[in-house]
Every structure is written in structure tokens, then in C-alpha cells.
Amino acid sequence: MATLKVTELGDYLREQRHGAKLSLRQLAEVAGVSNPYLSQVERGLRKPSAEVLGQIAKGLRISAEALYVRAGILEERGDRVEVEAAVLADPHLGERQRKVLLDIYETFRAENERNGDSAGTPPRTGGRTTKTAATKTGTSTRRATKRATPKTTKKTGAKTATRAPQGGN
């Protein structure tokens, strides 16, 4: 387990509180901690417990996991925490925008896990991926299929011969 970086954590909490446009007193009330205690945490004088961090995260509407990693309570789990931390730390995003981005991100991750997709593989789209890939490479799946089957004329319903597929198939 990593060591607790109290002053860095306090600075991060203050930054998140300012980003959420909450006063120290407002966050303390929402998180269920005293105003002086929260002030001491932000100044790096106190080490908050995991429970208190969870309450603060809830009050800030940010990921408790990201706070635990910042506090050194949890080890970083790779790209997921990095993405969450980047979204949460971006001063140009509003609170609602952060929440929406993280919700979308979690939805995509959950969908990929359900589908058994590994990292870097686009989510499954019910068979449309093959056609899209074929179209992007300049070949058309439909065109190749039509060449291999005879055409039927609209007027008589008679079958007419078409060219044989190229490539010796």
C-alpha cells in the first residue's frame, strides 16, 4: 500500500471543492464532518479515514476510488483510474459534465466486460462491424454476394446469368 500524501490530498480536495463551487462549510455539512476537521484535512494537518474520504467524495460527487488512490489507500489500477482522475481534475468541466463523462465511460467499460471484449477492441454492434470494415477497405460485401448468385428479372421472374466471381472460386 502506498503512503498517504496528506498535503497533496488536501490540495486535491480543495481544488475539487472549488470546482464544485462549494464552500468549506457546505462540503463539511454534506459530507457529515465538522468544518474545522475538513479545514485541517485540506491543509494537510489530518489524515482522513477511508470512511471520511468516502463521505467527502460523495459530497463532491466524485469517485471515492479516485480519492482512495490519491490518499494512498488503494493502489492505482491502470488506465481506469487515470481516466477518472483526468476527468475529475479538469477545471474546464462542470460538475454535471464530469458526472456524464464518467457515467458514459463506465457504461462502455461494463458493456465491453459483458461482451468479453479485451482492451482496444471496439464494442460489438450486432454484426454491423464486418460490413463497416469491408466498406472502409473499399470492398462491398453485398456486391461480392450478388456476383455469385443469378439475377432475377422483375418482369418475367426468369433467372439470367451473371458474371462468374473473379479469383477462381
Side-chain angles (χ1 to χ4, degrees):
M1 180 160 60
T3 59
L4 183 65
K5 305 165 219 149
V6 183
T7 49
E8 289 177 26
L9 175 64
D11 292 339
Y12 177 74
L13 288 173
R14 184 178 301 112
E15 185 179 297
Q16 293 303 309
R17 181 174 57 80
H18 285 233
K21 295 184 169 84
L22 290 171
S23 69
L24 191 65
R25 190 166 280 143
Q26 288 171 321
L27 178 58
E29 185 178 319
V30 171
V33 296
S34 73
N35 187 28
Y37 179 77
L38 185 57
S39 174
Q40 292 172 347
V41 169
E42 282 191 358
R43 289 181 288 141
L45 303 175
R46 294 269 188 160
K47 291 191 235 180
S49 67
E51 183 179 336
V52 169
L53 280 175
Q55 291 171 288
I56 292 171
K58 189 174 182 181
L60 290 170
R61 294 189 177 137
I62 62 174
S63 163
E65 184 178 340
L67 262 186
Y68 296 153
V69 169
R70 285 258 181 192
I73 295 171
L74 275 181
E75 292 294 321
E76 197 164 333
R77 292 187 341 182
D79 62 339
R80 178 181 183 168
V81 175
E82 289 175 19
V83 169
E84 288 178 359
V87 168
L88 294 172
D90 191 330
H92 301 291
L93 296 174
E95 181 182 339
R96 184 173 179 277
Q97 292 169 324
R98 287 182 184 129
K99 182 181 180 344
V100 169
L101 278 173
L102 291 175
D103 286 347
I104 291 169
Y105 178 69
E106 283 302 315
T107 300
F108 283 148
R109 286 184 61 90
E111 181 179 321
N112 288 345
E113 284 180 26
R114 276 193 309 273
N115 293 334
D117 291 342
S118 60
T121 306
R124 294 181 185 160
T125 57
R128 286 179 266 165
T129 306
T130 307
K131 185 175 179 186
T132 305
T135 305
K136 285 183 179 177
T137 60
T139 60
S140 171
T141 308
R142 183 182 302 178
R143 200 176 305 142
T145 305
K146 279 189 175 180
R147 285 187 194 138
T149 58
K151 279 188 177 178
T152 305
T153 62
K154 288 182 184 177
K155 289 182 183 178
T156 64
K159 296 192 183 223
T160 60
T162 58
R163 309 186 266 171
Q166 296 176 2
N169 289 51

